[in-house]
């Protein structure tokens, strides 16, 4: 007969009345094939005094060994055996555990409605124990409670004394009685023990067990009564009230596991799901990978996608509060996932090289995965190669040796397949690209091995995540392209993963976003760590990911971290990292940055000015009464006009204008980027933005007010208007967007103006040469008085100066083709010659004025000549030299402009041009004043004029005529010149007309001098005619005579 040993634990519940203390122990033993019941029955005085009116409950456990056949008969009489007093009653008697004995151990199962406690058997169905150390199952409804009682006042300070002291024993006994008075009245009350006292007022840690189902409201009320009795606050944590149902282990990768928690009775509180992994507890919410649903007595958690993030210990809990009492009901269990890995497969070498068709090569195939707890079964398969044999295996790396031949017979490949415990599989395949004899390839270079032409080499990043690539072009010969790095800082890569996982349901989205912004701020705070395109791209991807997930940011710390990290990405030291390199597009990077930051700013609750180094944000709540909102960020003032716009936000971005795409290469950014948004959508809105320009706008350079167009991915003028040169920083737009000012790279050019200038200057140069030749030919004939001498001397010098100036203008018509040195020389010569020309005109008007005012005072020819030479050359020279020295030795950008090879105009009374304009203006004014004085004198003193020598009179009239004719010519020309200087070509048709008039008058000045001083002068015509008659042959004499007679007419 086979012997069995069966252990049965019996739970008996007794009611104890105050007047009956009793203790009894009974053991019954029978032999042969036996069941063992051990019943321990203890009833103490303290217990019986627990409650005056409400019966106390206590559980007793009896172990009894009996014959197998006696079990049905004995269980009905156990209550009578152990309970003899009429005031004690056995309410229930159940078999808890069944054990089968072996030589030195017992294999035990739990009876129906019973389970193993977690500490005894780790939630398995069958458990094996040493024969003398068997454990007992607990009821499915059994509840274990841990409590933390915080006692106020000094009544229980004795509990903090040493344990062997009388004060401690008395305090401990008093507190224990008070606690047992309350908890022993719970149905199924089993044990109560105080485990620890600690400081913090007096904090009592205790454990309470109840062997059967209890009412949560009953527990809440009794615990609240305890807090009142002892003047304390109480926190309770229970297990057993909630029944957690888990999916079968292991949970397969392709499934959608469902977890559920059931309550014994409804609670007026919401459940909380949590996951504990890697020593971190995270609350679970509804997300892209998790669904949480709740009913009055049940809550469910469904996982929509399995990954290693969801592996760990799950718990669901309900929290009740009443006055100073908090009760947390909790159940937890481990979920074991059968995962599938992400596989990185590669070969070594990447491109095996054959020297002959008969050669056989050995290639190492490597499959790498991230470390995890899953034990994978790895299989290998191959095509178009001789063999592939597994060679090495670690927890993270699996390798095989592939044997390939050098005969071309298709592209060989190797596949590694990973299978988990559920037999879910994931393969990865790699082609073995062989460099056969005669194939073109790029020879090894640095880290890069031989690479077949038309293919791209790939290497893992060192000290970072990602990879580097380098392409071998299919040219003749093949060449390496620049290396492209996708290496991302590991800390930043972790931040990116956290951002992408922020809404899967692990943790609340707001808290996850706050953590991500904090981490991003820390990583980007050191620009050296992220100084690459790949790192900037990952950082922007973090912002973009969060902008698509979160709807609001209400925490000031989170908002500051967001603004700090966004500002860090715009550091000037990262400029190179924003720049496009081979195979990378920074165009979309700047767009994505602007788009994501704008969305996040809209979602952020900004209550005050947020000012960071590269980002500044201002918000205002504009009501109906205040329809004009004023903001100022980075000195850019923004005025929004709309009816009831609500909350209006304006953000300024430094450096971003350098990175946003600009399809029109003739334009460049000349302001920071400013974005304006408003809470409410209205049909009518007007935004005035006044930008401080990043660099001064040169004259005649067109600027455009633009807004970013998300559809064309470019700046657009639609709805925006520039205020013009008079208020060059002001833009007005009829919509909201991100705004900026763009400036033309080159000044506006008037059609045909350069050609007119070239023709006019060429005619002038020829005319001036002719004029000088005529003066030389007629000099002895026309210079008969001092006045005429000075007049013709002035004409010659005026013509000579204008000739040199016009020649320099012709030589510098195309400034781009002229070196800076020659441009500077031409500017100095033009500056000097034009001034000299006007000073010689001043000499003419001064001589005329002297003769008109001082009729009887004659000045010698030499005196006039010395004075004229000083005025005509020394004064202009002094002005030019002083100007040259004052403007830093005539450097470009200070003294002259390389773009025009002329003096610089920087605004009213600013720039070297005023050293020309002011003297010329004064001379023109003096000339006009002189003419008026002379004319008045001639009218007032006709008698004196008659007494004057006839030749001198004629000479004076001739000089006055020259002054009268030349002054308007030069004066009117340079009046238009002043207008050209003051008027900007961006002003429209009027400015263009003035430019045409100035160019015509200025370019043909040489022709006007020829006409006024030679052709229209009778004495010069006569003298020239006589000279031509003298030198001409007989056949030409008649022609000369006719010409002279024509001039006289």
């Amino acid at each position: 007969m086979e012997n069995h040993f069966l252990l049965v634990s019996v739970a008996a519940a007794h009611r104890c009345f105050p007047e009956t203390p009793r203790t009894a122990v009974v053991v019954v033993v029978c032999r042969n094939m036996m069941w063992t019941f051990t019943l321990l029955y203890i009833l103490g005085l303290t217990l019986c005094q627990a409650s005056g009116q409400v019966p106390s409950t206590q559980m007793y456990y009896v172990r009894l060994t009996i014959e197998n056949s006696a079990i049905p008969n004995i269980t009905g009489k156990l209550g009578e055996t152990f309970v003899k007093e009429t005031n004690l009653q056995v309410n229930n008697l159940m078999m808890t555990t069944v054990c089968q004995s072996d030589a030195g151990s017992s294999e035990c199962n739990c009876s129906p409605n019973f389970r193993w406690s977690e500490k005894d058997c780790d939630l398995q169905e069958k458990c094996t124990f040493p024969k003398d150390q068997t454990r007992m199952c607990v009821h499915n409804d059994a509840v274990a409670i841990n409590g933390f009682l915080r006692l106020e006042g000094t009544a229980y300070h004795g509990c903090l004394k040493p344990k062997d002291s009388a004060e401690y024993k008395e305090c401990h006994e008093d507190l224990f009685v008070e606690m047992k008075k309350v908890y022993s009245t719970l149905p199924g009350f089993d044990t109560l023990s105080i485990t620890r006292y600690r400081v913090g007022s007096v904090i009592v840690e205790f454990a309470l067990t109840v062997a059967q189902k209890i009412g949560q409201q009953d527990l809440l009320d009794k615990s609240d009564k305890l807090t009142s009795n002892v003047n304390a606050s109480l926190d309770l944590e229970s297990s057993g009230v909630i029944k957690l149902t888990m999916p079968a282990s292991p949970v397969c990768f392709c499934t959608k596991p469902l977890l559920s928690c059931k309550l014994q009775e409804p609670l007026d509180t919401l459940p909380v799901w949590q996951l504990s992994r890697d020593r971190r507890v995270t609350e679970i919410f509804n997300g892209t990978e998790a669904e949480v649903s709740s009913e009055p007595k049940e809550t469910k958690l469904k996982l929509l996608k399995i990954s290693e993030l969801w592996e760990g210990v799950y718990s669901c809990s309900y929290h009740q509060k009443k006055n100073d009492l908090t009760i947390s009901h909790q159940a937890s269990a481990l979920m074991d996932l059968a995962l599938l890995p992400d596989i990185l497969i590669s070969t070594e070498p990447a491109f095996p090289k054959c020297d002959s068709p008969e050669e056989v090569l050995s290639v190492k195939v490597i499959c790498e995965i991230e470390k995890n707890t899953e034990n994978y079964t790895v299989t290998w398969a191959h095509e178009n190669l001789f063999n592939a044999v597994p060679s090495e295996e670690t927890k993270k790396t699996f390798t095989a040796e592939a044997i390939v031949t050098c005969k071309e017979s298709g592209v060989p490949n190797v596949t590694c397949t990973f299978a988990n415990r559920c037999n879910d599989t994931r393969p990865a395949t790699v082609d073995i690209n062989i460099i056969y004899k005669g194939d073109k390839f790029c020879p090894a270079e640095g880290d890069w091995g031989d690479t077949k032409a038309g293919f791209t080499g790939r290497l893992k990043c060192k000290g970072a995540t990602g990879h580097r690539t380098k392409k071998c072009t299919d040219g003749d010969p093949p060449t390496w392209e620049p290396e492209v790095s996708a290496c991302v800082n590991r800390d930043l890569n972790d931040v990116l993963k956290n951002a992408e996982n922020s809404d899967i349901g692990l943790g609340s989205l707001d808290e996850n976003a706050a953590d991500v912004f904090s981490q991003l701020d820390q990583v980007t705070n050191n620009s050296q760590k992220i100084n690459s395109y790949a790192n900037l791209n990952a950082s922007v991807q973090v912002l973009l990911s969060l902008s698509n997930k979160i709807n609001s940011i209400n925490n000031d710390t989170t908002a500051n971290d967001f603004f700090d990290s966004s500002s860090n990405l715009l550091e000037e030291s990262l400029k190179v990292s924003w720049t496009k390199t081979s195979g990378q597009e920074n165009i979309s990077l700047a767009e994505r940055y602007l788009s994501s930051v704008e969305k996040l700013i809209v979602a952020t609750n900004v209550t005050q000015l947020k000012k960071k180094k590269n980002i500044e944000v201002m918000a205002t709540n504009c009501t109906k009464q205040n329809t004009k909102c004023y903001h100022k960020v980075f000195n850019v003032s923004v005025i929004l006009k709309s009816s009831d716009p609500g909350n209006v936000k304006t953000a300024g971005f430094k450096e971003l204008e350098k990175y946003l795409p600009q399809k029109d290469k003739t334009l460049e950014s000349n302001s920071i980027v400013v974005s304006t948004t408003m809470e409410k959508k209205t049909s009518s809105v007007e935004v005035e933005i006044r930008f401080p320009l990043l660099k001064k706008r040169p004259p005649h350079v067109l600027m455009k007010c633009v807004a970013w167009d998300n559809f064309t991915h470019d700046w657009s003028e639609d709805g925006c208007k520039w205020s013009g040169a008079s208020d060059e920083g002001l833009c007005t737009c009829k919509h909201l967007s991100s705004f900026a000012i763009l400036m033309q790279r080159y000044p506006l050019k008037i059609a045909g103006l350069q050609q007119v200038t070239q023709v006019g200057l060429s005619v002038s140069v020829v005319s001036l040469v002719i004029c000088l030749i005529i003066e030389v030919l007629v000099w002895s004939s026309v210079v008969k008085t001092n006045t005429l001498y000075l007049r013709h001397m002035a004409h010659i010098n005026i013509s000579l100066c204008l000739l040199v100036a016009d020649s320099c203008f012709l030589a510098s018509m195309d400034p781009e083709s002229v070196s800076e040195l020659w441009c500077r020389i031409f500017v100095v010569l033009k500056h000097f010659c034009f001034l000299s020309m006007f000073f010689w005109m001043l000499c003419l008007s001064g001589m005329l004025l002297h003769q008109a005012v001082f009729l009887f005072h004659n000045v010698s020819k030499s005196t006039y000549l010395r004075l004229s030479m000083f005025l005509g050359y020394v004064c202009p020279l002094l002005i030019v030299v002083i100007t040259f020295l004052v403007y830093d030795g005539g450097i470009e950008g200070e003294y002259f402009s390389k773009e025009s090879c002329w003096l610089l105009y920087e605004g009213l009374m600013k720039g070297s041009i005023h050293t020309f304009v002011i003297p010329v203006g004064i001379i023109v004014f003096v000339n006009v004043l002189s003419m008026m004085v002379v004319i008045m004198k001639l009218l007032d003193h006709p008698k004196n004029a008659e007494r004057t020598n006839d030749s001198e009179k004629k000479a004076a009239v001739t000089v006055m005529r020259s002054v009268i004719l030349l002054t308007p010519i030069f004066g009117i020309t340079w009046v238009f010149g002043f207008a050209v200087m003051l008027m900007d070509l961006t002003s429209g048709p009027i400015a263009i007309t003035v430019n045409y008039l100035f160019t015509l008058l200025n370019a043909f000045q040489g022709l006007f001098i020829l006409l006024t001083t030679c052709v229209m002068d009778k004495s010069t015509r006569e003298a020239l005619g006589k000279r031509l008659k003298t030198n001409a042959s007989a056949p030409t004499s008649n022609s000369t005579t006719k010409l002279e007679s024509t001039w006289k007419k």
Side-chain angles (χ1 to χ4, degrees), residues 649-668:
K649 297 176 183 176
T650 299
F653 303 89
K654 286 186 177 180
E655 303 295 326
L656 184 60
E657 73 281 353
K658 300 176 183 176
Y659 314 129
L660 284 168
Q662 178 57 53
K663 294 180 181 178
D664 188 350
K665 301 305 179 184
T666 64
L667 296 170
E668 62 178 341

Side-chain angles (χ1 to χ4, degrees), residues 658-927:
K658 300 176 183 176
Y659 314 129
L660 284 168
Q662 178 57 53
K663 294 180 181 178
D664 188 350
K665 301 305 179 184
T666 64
L667 296 170
E668 62 178 341
S669 298
N670 198 21
S671 73
I672 68 170
V673 177
V674 171
S675 173
T676 300
T677 60
M678 64 183 186
E679 180 183 9
K680 300 178 181 179
K681 303 294 182 183
T682 60
S683 57
S684 175
V685 63
E686 181 177 291
V687 186
E688 288 185 3
I689 312 112
R690 188 174 298 279
F691 290 97
L693 301 182
L694 297 179
K695 56 183 178 182
K696 184 173 177 59
R697 183 186 73 91
H700 317 305
V701 173
L702 183 65
M703 297 212 300
K704 295 182 179 181
C705 292
V706 292
W708 185 254
D709 191 329
N710 290 316
F711 295 101
T712 62
H713 305 289
D714 194 13
W715 293 110
S716 171
E717 289 184 273
D718 293 344
C720 291
K721 182 181 178 182
W722 180 47
S723 295
S726 59
D727 199 351
E728 58 188 15
L730 181 62
C731 292
T732 304
C733 295
K734 300 293 185 181
H735 57 81
L736 297 179
S737 183
S738 297
F739 307 104
I741 284 185
L742 302 183
M743 184 173 70
Q744 291 278 1
R745 295 182 183 273
Y746 308 102
L748 291 175
K749 292 184 179 180
I750 302 175
L753 196 66
Q754 188 172 11
Q755 289 75 13
V756 171
T757 302
Q758 287 177 330
V759 172
L761 290 177
S762 300
V763 170
S764 288
V765 168
V766 173
S767 299
L768 290 170
V769 171
I770 294 173
C771 185
L772 289 172
I773 293 173
I774 291 174
E775 288 290 349
V776 171
L777 292 176
V778 303
W779 179 264
S780 58
S781 302
V782 297
V783 180
K784 296 178 180 179
T785 65
N786 290 347
T787 303
L788 290 174
Y789 176 84
L790 184 57
R791 176 221 170 187
H792 283 278
M793 179 61 71
H795 286 171
I796 290 174
N797 283 280
I798 288 172
S799 299
L800 185 62
C801 290
L802 188 57
L803 176 63
V804 174
D806 285 350
S807 299
C808 290
F809 255 117
L810 277 174
S812 59
M813 283 284 294
D814 185 13
E816 292 182 0
S817 62
V818 181
S819 68
E820 185 177 323
L821 176 61
W822 276 107
C823 189
R824 183 184 289 109
I825 293 171
F826 289 145
V827 172
V828 171
L829 288 174
K830 287 186 283 186
H831 192 190
F832 171 76
C833 291
F834 278 127
L835 283 175
S836 183
M837 179 183 72
F838 277 96
F839 272 100
W840 274 103
M841 283 189 59
L842 181 64
C843 292
L844 281 176
S845 61
M847 179 195 68
L848 185 63
L849 182 64
H850 176 266
Q851 288 185 347
V853 176
F854 305 103
L855 296 176
F856 304 103
H857 184 268
N858 293 322
V859 180
S860 65
K861 184 191 298 183
S862 60
T863 303
Y864 266 126
L865 185 60
R866 285 195 295 270
L867 181 61
S868 298
M869 286 294 180
F870 179 81
L871 283 176
Y873 290 113
V874 176
C875 288
L877 182 63
L878 287 173
I879 292 174
V880 171
V881 170
I882 292 172
T883 303
F884 190 85
L885 295 176
V886 167
Y887 286 96
D888 296 332
I891 64 171
E892 194 272 332
E894 294 288 338
Y895 173 65
F896 72 99
S897 169
K898 178 68 172 61
E899 296 176 357
S900 61
C901 277
W902 184 228
L903 299 174
L904 202 62
Y905 173 70
E906 296 179 325
L908 189 63
M909 301 306 294
K910 294 179 181 179
S912 59
I913 188 68
H914 292 90
T915 62
F916 171 74
V917 171
I918 292 174
V920 168
I922 293 172
I923 290 172
V924 170
F925 176 77
V926 170
N927 285 353

